[in-house]
Amino acid sequence: MDRPLFTVGYSRYAVVLIAILAISTLLDTLFWHHTIHRLETTARTAIATAHENGWTVHATPLRRGGWPFGAWVELDHLNATHPASPGSPYDAGWAGEHLRLGGSWASLLCAGLPVSLTGHQAIRLVLHDRILTVLTSGVQIRFRNLEDLRFSAPQFQMALSGRWPDRHIFAKNLSGRLIRFPKAPVGATRLGIEAKVAELSGFPLAYGASADLHQAHLALALTASASSTDRSFLDPAAYDRLLLQDASASPASTGSHIALSGSITLPSQTGTFTLTLMHWQELAARLLDRPEIESHLAPDLQAALRKALEKASVPQPQNEQPISVALPVVNGQILPDTQAISTLFNGTLPPP
């Protein structure tokens, strides 16, 4: 007896579907093997380069994964250390629970190579007896190329110690970009950093004070010195100038906004920054109420600030102009010109 027509049609569709699935699986498997080989080569090259630059790296062997929805190689218990040497005068260490290079097909097809750091990550840098420690997890990194790195993290903690005063800083929703040009000519940008943070707690101020900030933004560039080509990116001698393009934030629970810009020469750390304040009255009043800050302000500056606050007690126009103050920097220390600041507050504010 002949088969019904719909049964014959169904069989043909089944054969076509099976053929498509088989071809797709074969192509996916071939592409997975090709991508895994590329990722393993990248990982081994990175480890070899780290060894050449004085790092000692220990971790579990690379593992393959991701098929059929992606491709990645991963390792656990990463432990990398860098002892100080004449050519690289810094001690550094990195301990991480888990690292993955690669990701889903969608993330790999986008521009860049994804790196995921899950679990706890701890980084320490010691430079000239100054110690920086960073604790974080859930870091996402994407390399658009070897010179362009994008990063993000839901939160991180940073501690300063050693020759720095002991400070603890906590941040939420960090994102940013790092660009580097190892062969940059003298005076050109060798290292550039841009970062944004939604919330920053414990940000250090002068005289041992600290503040909570939100919507913080940092953009800076370091220009190459005459000997930068043979030096590490962490070596201060590799740079001859720091250009602070923007360091801005809004103090928490205020309508104020602070911005700092300028440049200093290296290694002398001498130059000038410009401090710009918008809606400064509430911020100034709060700072004057903090004894650890008030006690360090010159009497004439305190008087000028309080007089300015009295003048500003009446409602101001909506198009209130910001105030800008030049801050000389000598040997890494910001030295406010109290006389210039006093003159500014006494001379530019509108009368009541």
Side-chain angles (χ1 to χ4, degrees):
M1 185 173 64
D2 294 336
R3 292 183 179 180
L5 181 60
F6 75 88
T7 303
V8 176
Y10 177 80
S11 299
R12 289 175 179 173
Y13 284 126
V15 171
V16 172
L17 179 60
I18 291 172
I20 292 174
L21 290 176
I23 294 173
S24 298
T25 301
L26 177 61
L27 292 176
D28 186 84
T29 302
L30 292 175
F31 188 54
W32 181 83
H33 279 287
H34 171 76
T35 305
I36 286 293
H37 176 72
R38 181 169 62 89
L39 293 174
E40 288 179 334
T41 300
T42 299
R44 293 192 175 101
T45 300
I47 293 174
T49 302
H51 286 153
E52 293 173 0
N53 290 326
W55 288 81
T56 300
V57 182
H58 298 286
T60 59
L62 289 172
R63 300 189 307 275
R64 299 177 171 188
W67 188 89
F69 304 109
W72 59 70
V73 294
E74 52 190 0
L75 52 81
D76 296 319
H77 309 301
L78 174 67
N79 192 331
T81 57
H82 182 287
S85 65
S88 300
Y90 63 90
D91 283 292
W94 174 17
E97 287 187 346
H98 184 77
L99 183 149
R100 172 181 291 178
L101 180 64
S104 67
W105 292 132
S107 64
L108 286 167
L109 290 174
C110 295
L113 178 63
V115 180
S116 301
L117 306 177
T118 55
H120 297 295
Q121 307 287 330
I123 301 170
R124 173 164 290 188
L125 174 65
V126 182
L127 182 62
H128 302 317
D129 297 326
R130 291 180 172 88
I131 303 173
L132 170 67
T133 304
V134 177
L135 302 175
T136 186
S137 62
V139 179
Q140 299 294 322
I141 300 173
R142 182 175 292 278
F143 289 92
R144 294 184 177 271
N145 51 56
L146 293 178
E147 287 76 36
D148 191 343
L149 179 152
R150 311 294 174 98
F151 57 87
S152 64
Q155 63 182 31
F156 77 91
Q157 300 179 58
M158 183 167 62
L160 305 175
S161 57
R163 290 179 60 186
W164 275 320
D166 290 348
R167 297 295 179 93
H168 289 84
I169 304 169
F170 180 80
K172 289 184 178 180
N173 298 330
L174 166 70
S175 63
R177 179 188 183 193
L178 186 148
I179 56 174
R180 62 190 191 96
F181 304 100
K183 305 299 183 181
V186 177
T189 297
R190 187 169 190 253
L191 183 67
I193 301 172
E194 181 179 14
K196 296 180 181 179
V197 175
E199 297 180 20
L200 197 61
S201 302
F203 182 78
L205 300 176
Y207 316 126
S210 62
D212 295 339
L213 308 175
H214 63 266
Q215 301 303 322
H217 178 254
L218 173 67
L220 63 83
L222 290 162
T223 61
S225 68
S227 60
S228 64
T229 303
D230 300 325
R231 295 183 179 274
S232 162
F233 279 96
L234 294 176
D235 188 346
Y239 308 103
D240 68 358
R241 198 175 180 207
L242 183 150
L243 305 175
L244 185 60
Q245 296 156 326
D246 179 43
S248 59
S250 296
S253 304
T254 72
S256 306
H257 187 75
I258 303 172
L260 191 67
S261 61
S263 65
I264 58 174
T265 57
L266 300 173
S268 64
Q269 301 182 50
T270 299
T272 302
F273 289 143
T274 299
L275 176 66
T276 301
L277 304 173
M278 296 185 64
H279 309 297
W280 58 272
Q281 294 91 343
E282 182 181 2
L283 177 62
R286 291 193 179 192
L287 292 178
L288 287 174
D289 286 337
R290 300 181 67 165
E292 69 270 28
I293 292 181
E294 183 184 16
S295 62
H296 287 84
L297 298 179
D300 57 343
L301 179 55
Q302 290 187 44
L305 285 171
R306 296 194 182 281
K307 184 177 180 181
L309 289 173
E310 292 177 1
K311 290 182 177 181
S313 61
V314 297
Q316 297 294 318
Q318 292 298 319
N319 59 349
E320 175 190 350
Q321 295 298 314
I323 293 177
S324 294
V325 182
L327 301 176
V329 182
V330 179
N331 296 325
Q333 299 293 320
I334 296 179
L335 303 175
D337 186 338
T338 56
Q339 182 177 358
I341 296 174
S342 176
T343 302
L344 173 68
F345 279 98
N346 277 319
T348 64
L349 294 173

